[in-house]
Amino acid sequence: MPTSLHVTQPETTERRQERRFLLSEEVARMAMRTVSSHLSLARDDRPYQWSTTVYCDTYDWRAFQEAERGESLQLRFREYHRIRPDRVLATSRTWIELKEDSQSGSVKERFGIAAKHVPALLRGDAIPQLDGDALFARGKKFIALGARPVVATQYNRIAYAGQQDRVRITADHNLMYLAVPWDSNDDDAVPTRLGPVLAQEPNVIFEVKWFEEMPDWTTRLLEWIEESASDRRQSKFVVAMRHLLGLANKAAS
């Protein structure tokens, strides 16, 4: 395992609130025009690059079942590319994210390691640099239950953020849900191919994330959005898993 980690979002007890909507391209463009007059482009999500997120679950679908109830811990790997890749976990650094969702909000931690170390991480090999980290301790328990990559999302994201990321608004275009044919946690498991494509989202996923109170202008923007858009409460992970398990049509009905 690596001798050093690049940690960008250490755990905090402060929980972030989230809302997400499905918008048409036209409504999304108008909404983001308003957002751009209040917030700056986020540095970590460059416009129009491809973001690929690989999600993990256990063989009994524990993470999916808990996520549907609104109480879950997600383990996922994120990478960024200029051209949409058909293979992932091939880079010098992949971003490992742990996100804990609850009814009171979410907590996220993010750190980077070389993608070649992902199989060792999923085998439960130690990462001394994270010893004592409460959220990663939960992540290790999840890994011990057999967590492995199962689904992925790919999309083009435009992101705006306020100071210290206190408010963050994103628009995800060209979203696709894909299966991940992960065979084992052997070292030669990476890089891994993606596919098949499970579904494509014709609309834009518009997400608002904030700490403490939502700014007044954001409240007014959401009031306008609610007049013409559907509120999507379920995360991309839940939607992807529903497609993977053949539950999407059942949920829609």
Side-chain angles (χ1 to χ4, degrees):
M1 293 299 290
T3 57
S4 63
L5 293 171
H6 183 79
V7 181
T8 62
Q9 290 173 283
E11 185 196 6
T12 174
T13 57
E14 188 177 15
R15 291 191 173 269
R16 185 170 69 174
Q17 306 301 312
E18 301 180 0
R19 289 196 67 185
R20 64 181 63 89
F21 298 87
L22 282 173
L23 306 185
S24 67
E25 286 282 351
E26 181 182 4
V27 173
R29 283 196 298 270
M30 289 189 288
M32 293 306 277
R33 192 175 301 131
T34 298
V35 172
S36 66
S37 67
H38 293 274
L39 302 175
S40 301
L41 273 172
R43 289 179 298 175
D44 56 336
D45 285 299
R46 298 172 185 170
Y48 309 114
Q49 71 179 354
W50 282 96
S51 297
T52 302
T53 305
V54 175
Y55 297 86
C56 295
D57 205 346
T58 58
Y59 289 93
D60 60 358
W61 312 121
R62 175 185 298 261
F64 168 59
Q65 294 169 14
E66 291 180 350
E68 282 208 307
R69 296 193 294 267
E71 303 276 346
S72 69
L73 178 73
Q74 292 180 20
L75 170 65
R76 58 204 193 188
F77 307 104
R78 179 168 294 178
E79 295 179 346
Y80 303 99
H81 302 86
R82 292 187 178 276
I83 300 174
R84 187 177 74 84
D86 59 4
R87 295 166 70 84
V88 290
L89 302 178
T91 59
S92 59
R93 176 181 292 166
T94 189
W95 298 103
I96 299 177
E97 296 184 346
L98 287 162
K99 184 183 179 187
E100 182 184 62
D101 289 319
S102 70
Q103 299 298 331
S104 59
S106 66
V107 175
K108 189 174 81 170
E109 183 172 83
R110 170 178 164 124
F111 58 94
I113 65 172
K116 65 181 180 181
H117 295 303
V118 167
L121 175 80
L122 295 175
R123 290 196 300 266
D125 290 9
I127 301 181
Q129 294 83 357
L130 289 177
D131 283 348
D133 180 282
L135 193 57
F136 189 70
R138 285 198 58 198
K140 288 194 293 186
K141 292 180 180 178
F142 178 54
I143 289 171
L145 293 172
R148 86 283 187 206
V150 290
V151 290
T153 58
Q154 290 186 315
Y155 49 85
N156 301 121
R157 166 167 287 183
I158 301 175
Y160 288 87
Q163 290 185 349
Q164 298 179 323
D165 238 20
R166 303 300 294 178
V167 178
R168 182 178 178 85
I169 298 179
T170 59
D172 295 338
H173 301 254
N174 306 314
L175 171 62
M176 292 183 290
Y177 304 100
L178 306 98
V180 180
W182 186 268
D183 294 325
S184 71
N185 292 335
D186 295 335
D187 288 343
D188 60 0
V190 293
T192 187
R193 64 187 177 90
L194 294 174
V197 175
L198 301 170
Q200 294 179 276
E201 177 56 66
N203 296 308
V204 178
I205 302 294
F206 182 88
E207 294 183 317
V208 181
K209 305 170 186 178
W210 73 96
F211 292 99
E212 297 177 342
E213 294 185 6
M214 185 184 295
D216 290 342
W217 68 267
T218 310
T219 302
R220 293 193 297 271
L221 176 62
L222 292 190
E223 289 173 351
W224 175 77
I225 286 174
E226 288 170 342
E227 294 178 359
S228 59
S230 58
D231 193 338
R232 172 177 277 188
R233 297 186 180 278
Q234 294 181 327
S235 66
K236 296 185 191 72
F237 169 63
V238 168
V239 175
M241 289 298 296
R242 283 191 163 275
H243 285 296
L244 179 71
L245 300 176
L247 302 173
N249 292 334
K250 180 180 178 180
S253 61

